[in-house]
Amino acid sequence: MTSRSKTDWSLILKGCRREQNFSQRELAEKSGVSERTVQQYENAKIAEFSITKVERILDTLGYDLDAIFRNERVAPIKFVSAKDIRKEDA
């Protein structure tokens, strides 16, 4: 996928998931990637990571794959409701 090792990607995915307080099951359901695949990715137990699946996982968690490729440690995208915006403006 890149010059990063499988272990690097495993740590990135697991760390992002934990930061967002998702269980593996919840992430699987929301991303459309099987729970088994999430587990295998997080444990580096898969021969080849799929860029499409990694991107779906990261998108679900609110992270930008391109930023991770560039080695930028960015905060997840925060989804804000109109109600939250009104509270901030008050």
Side-chain angles (χ1 to χ4, degrees), residues 55-74:
E55 187 167 32
R56 285 194 347 223
I57 289 169
L58 291 172
D59 282 348
T60 300
L61 295 170
Y63 290 88
D64 179 46
L65 178 63
D66 291 332
I68 291 173
F69 269 124
R70 291 187 305 268
N71 267 342
E72 295 173 10
R73 187 71 177 134
V74 296

Side-chain angles (χ1 to χ4, degrees), residues 5-88:
S5 71
K6 288 192 307 185
T7 303
D8 290 342
W9 281 109
S10 294
L11 293 171
I12 289 167
L13 294 173
K14 186 182 287 186
C16 290
R17 179 182 60 79
R18 287 182 173 171
E19 283 178 8
Q20 296 306 307
N21 297 312
F22 274 69
S23 68
Q24 289 177 336
R25 176 172 292 177
E26 185 179 23
L27 177 57
E29 289 171 358
K30 292 185 179 193
S31 68
V33 174
S34 74
E35 186 175 358
R36 180 168 168 78
T37 297
V38 171
Q39 292 167 348
Q40 289 176 325
Y41 279 15
E42 288 189 3
N43 294 309
K45 301 289 184 190
I46 199 157
E48 183 81 26
F49 282 65
S50 161
I51 187 82
T52 304
K53 289 180 183 177
V54 168
E55 187 167 32
R56 285 194 347 223
I57 289 169
L58 291 172
D59 282 348
T60 300
L61 295 170
Y63 290 88
D64 179 46
L65 178 63
D66 291 332
I68 291 173
F69 269 124
R70 291 187 305 268
N71 267 342
E72 295 173 10
R73 187 71 177 134
V74 296
I77 299 164
K78 187 174 181 181
F79 298 100
V80 181
S81 69
K83 184 178 179 181
D84 292 332
I85 292 170
R86 286 192 295 273
K87 283 182 188 176
E88 290 176 5

